[in-house]
Amino acid sequence: MSVKEYHEELQPRERCKKYGADSLTHQELLAIILRTGNKTQNVLELANQVLVNFDNLFELKTASIEELVKIDGIGDVKAIELQAVIEFGKRLALSHREKLGVIVSSHELGQRLIKEMKDFQQEHLLVLYLNTKNEVLKRQTVFIGSLNQSVAHPREIFRIAVKCSAARIIIVHNHPSGNPNPSKQDIAFTHRLVECGKLMGIEVLDHLIIGENSYISLKETDVI
């Protein structure tokens, strides 16, 4: 019986799509990696065949290509693919989130961003996503264009915050006119972000508006 003949709820790819990879068994995960079975075994049976040849996952992790190809149904191609996946998994396990510096103060950040953003001809909305130590986890230009609530929706800003597990955010945008004074739209947008942040448990630390030679912090001006 081929895997395609299984009820959809029992097919590894469908289960992964519906419930997430962490809900799958070792056999199901391995079946997705192997992709196909052979003339005598479907891919789930082949995955099981691989697993029963080793006492535990550690032994599979350290298996050589020569050991893998001894398993019925595993040729050079599948053995190489398995080794590549295992090696990639090792490298993922050793990886860590890159920190993009620490925010010391709004003043320091504002002075730095004046140099970077003062000559932009369009408004850029930049968001810095921080952890509880004010280390920058991610820096994202969310959109380019006029700052209004129909375009700069908090949903996208906080979606990214949740994805990178940010505890705090700093909003930055420039005024191409060179005048950093906040507009009514800037203030309304900031208030909306602060309220959304409270609901999400993500603090809006500041909103900086960058002009030609100066900036304004809405935190320092008590807007936030």
Side-chain angles (χ1 to χ4, degrees):
M1 184 178 183
S2 71
V3 172
K4 289 183 179 179
E5 295 177 88
Y6 286 23
H7 190 279
E8 190 174 278
E9 286 288 317
L10 299 177
Q11 295 177 21
R13 289 178 187 274
E14 294 304 320
R15 282 176 43 74
C16 185
K17 181 179 178 180
K18 187 171 183 178
Y19 302 112
D22 59 349
S23 69
L24 271 59
T25 64
H26 298 337
Q27 181 186 14
E28 290 170 325
L29 290 170
L30 189 53
I32 291 174
I33 294 168
L34 292 171
R35 299 195 315 279
T36 59
N38 53 36
K39 292 180 180 179
T40 60
Q41 303 173 97
N42 66 40
V43 70
L44 278 168
E45 292 167 337
L46 180 57
N48 186 62
Q49 180 74 11
V50 172
L51 292 171
V52 299
N53 270 269
F54 301 94
D55 290 336
N56 50 57
L57 290 181
F58 180 80
E59 287 192 3
L60 175 57
K61 183 176 77 170
T62 56
S64 65
I65 290 179
E66 290 75 17
E67 289 174 302
L68 291 170
V69 296
K70 289 179 181 178
I71 300 170
D72 184 30
I74 299 296
D76 287 343
V77 173
K78 287 192 184 298
I80 290 168
E81 289 173 345
L82 275 173
Q83 281 227 318
V85 168
I86 290 167
E87 177 58 29
F88 192 63
K90 291 176 184 177
R91 297 183 190 187
L92 284 176
L94 294 173
S95 66
H96 60 278
R97 175 178 282 162
E98 181 182 4
K99 302 298 192 304
L100 302 175
V102 179
I103 301 302
V104 177
S105 66
S106 292
H107 177 73
E108 182 273 335
L109 178 62
Q111 292 300 319
R112 175 153 48 93
L113 290 177
I114 287 172
K115 299 176 183 177
E116 180 179 330
M117 302 178 72
K118 66 177 183 177
D119 295 325
F120 287 172
Q121 298 302 303
Q122 290 182 283
E123 288 191 14
H124 287 60
L125 181 66
L126 171 69
V127 184
L128 302 177
Y129 296 91
L130 318 175
N131 62 17
T132 55
K133 298 179 181 179
N134 289 344
E135 296 173 319
V136 181
L137 304 174
K138 187 177 181 65
R139 170 186 162 137
Q140 180 80 38
T141 299
V142 177
F143 81 97
I144 300 173
S146 297
L147 183 60
N148 62 71
Q149 293 187 25
S150 64
V151 177
H153 199 286
R155 179 173 53 245
E156 176 64 14
I157 292 170
F158 286 104
R159 182 189 68 79
I160 299 171
V162 170
K163 187 175 181 180
C164 67
S165 300
R168 300 166 176 168
I169 62 173
I170 295 177
I171 311 298
V172 183
H173 87 278
N174 65 300
H175 280 178
S177 66
N179 181 355
N181 288 326
S183 66
K184 291 181 179 178
Q185 290 85 356
D186 294 338
I187 293 172
F189 179 65
T190 304
H191 286 158
R192 189 179 183 197
L193 286 176
V194 170
E195 291 306 309
C196 289
K198 288 177 181 177
L199 291 173
M200 300 285 292
I202 298 171
E203 182 182 5
V204 178
L205 276 184
D206 206 342
H207 182 173
L208 301 183
I209 302 175
I210 306 298
E212 184 177 1
N213 295 305
S214 61
Y215 76 93
I216 284 182
S217 160
L218 298 192
K219 179 76 170 180
E220 293 172 354
T221 53
D222 294 327
V223 172
I224 297 178

